[in-house]
Amino acid sequence: MANHLFDLVRARMPAGQSPFIVHPDGKALSYGDLEAVSARLAGALVAAGVVPGDRVAVQVEKSANALMLYLACVRAGAVFLPLNAAYTLAELEYFIGDAEPALIVCDPSRQAGIVAIARGAAVETLDASGEGSLMQKAQGMPDLFADAARGPDDLAAILYTSGTTGRSKGAMLSHDNLASNALTLVDFWRFGRSDVLLHALPIFHTHGLFVGTNVVLLAGASMLFLPKFDADEVMRLMPRATTMMGVPTFYVRLLDHAGLTREATAHMRLFVSGSAPLLADTHRDWSQRTGHAILERYGMTETNMNTSNPYDGDRVAGTVGPPLPGVAARITDPETAAALPAGEIGMIEVRGPNVFKGYWRNPEKTASEFRADGFFITGDLGKIDEKGYVHIVGRGKDLIITGGYNVYPKEVESEIDALPGVVESAVIGLAHKDFGEAVTAVVVRAKGADLDDRAVMAALEGRLARFKQPKRVFIVDELPRNTMGKVQKNVLREMYAWVFG
Ligand code: AMP
């Protein structure tokens, strides 16, 4: 019987000895190992009582075997449910209650706590070195497994959104959501068997798990697998890689590394950035230092990848490129839902085989986020320019409404970022009794720069309409970010909530 995603992986697999995952110390897991280890793990899942459609919640450190567990779930017809390793037990309790997994796989250090909140689910362990009770059970299983029958629309995974407002929601991703997007990216970014991806992203998030891993798998390529991002280690391994995918923070940190030179990156084929906005300055500095234009793309947990700057052709800084083949994007008026012409800012909506099946056990939320014609309302505000490139101006919930006027934080941030002595900035709206919200800027000053709040405010006069100018500016050393490098504006809003109180 067919298993939509794994059949595709198998059909595109190179010979058994070809490496799939290579550890920095030289240890490798080949495509042959992949088949055998994922079969044994799938056997262990079945033995633990997991049946097709069951959720398998996984909160573990990054390891090759954790990825094998993802493939084992696909093969057993289970729904892989990865969870950020940083989530606390209290947070896990919500996910376990909502997803009702049949099995929870966790780090041994967490086992006792999780057993107490497991609600009858089996609990097994997998540690940072890829060992634990689950692997012990898998050891006795055969190297062959009869894959569960799964069609294109069956669920392969549920990924909970990061939930910066309200409870996070489980995005249901089907076999074909993952397969179709990975196939598109393999072609679009020209991945082939000789590619070696430098993989330093976490694997509980769509970027490292699906964009990175599925692209490598469906290209029959290999990846250098780092437990986490470390600039020294990335530079040490760069000579063995051909491509890298990262969040903007990776690129900022590497620019601080003396080893980043044109020579050190001359052999590289592609640098991809996503998950958060890449500053135009970072794009330009990277080009100057290395001769490579970073390729920025745009996606989200619910939709996989939507747009990408071109492989050949202009990779325009500050844009996320046109929609990928097979994906449709449009901009609509957030109030009326009417389609807007090129150049106008509104809600970004997308439709395509990449877009998820809805929110887990939340039909109301699903219904409210989709249009009748199948477009998904992303929650991101942006515009599409005359050349068809998408520009993101921020999350809809970050839009500031001050005295009845809309202020797009990105516009103010771009002006501030262009000032000498500024590294970056975040512009937020804070509750204000006269204006509703007051524009407020939090600015990171360059080391040694002589810049204060007054200088920033003075510099913006004449550059921005008065209603867009910040009413207060705060100078800080750094902005709060989550593990994917996203600036946490909700944290900033809480930190500065008192300002106009
Ligand atoms: P996540 O679901 O955690 O992947 O977050 C998705 C969100 O990240 C999107 O809705 C965007 O707000 C943001 N995002 C992803 N890629 C980019 C990008 N290249 N530029 C700006 N924002 C991005």
Side-chain angles (χ1 to χ4, degrees), residues 76-121:
V79 181
F80 186 64
L81 197 162
L83 293 163
N84 190 327
Y87 284 146
T88 62
L89 277 179
E91 286 165 319
L92 286 184
E93 213 168 349
Y94 163 73
F95 296 116
I96 292 169
D98 193 50
E100 296 188 302
L103 171 66
I104 305 169
V105 182
C106 65
D107 192 81
S109 63
R110 290 241 155 151
Q111 189 176 16
I114 287 180
V115 166
I117 56 168
R119 299 187 181 208

Side-chain angles (χ1 to χ4, degrees), residues 374-397:
F375 273 83
F376 172 63
I377 306 164
T378 62
D380 289 314
L381 295 172
K383 65 178 180 185
I384 303 181
D385 67 21
E386 297 290 347
K387 291 189 170 147
Y389 282 54
V390 176
H391 301 235
I392 299 176
V393 301
R395 294 292 293 165
K397 62 177 190 289

Side-chain angles (χ1 to χ4, degrees), residues 59 115 217 231 255 257 362 403 448 479-480:
Q59 191 196 33
V115 166
L217 270 176
L255 277 166
H257 196 286
N362 204 338
L479 297 173

Side-chain angles (χ1 to χ4, degrees), residues 205-206 275-277 296-301 320 380 392 395 486:
H205 182 269
T206 185
S275 291
E296 188 173 7
R297 95 300 181 276
Y298 158 59
M300 59 198 300
T301 301
V320 293
D380 289 314
I392 299 176
R395 294 292 293 165
K486 291 185 213 291

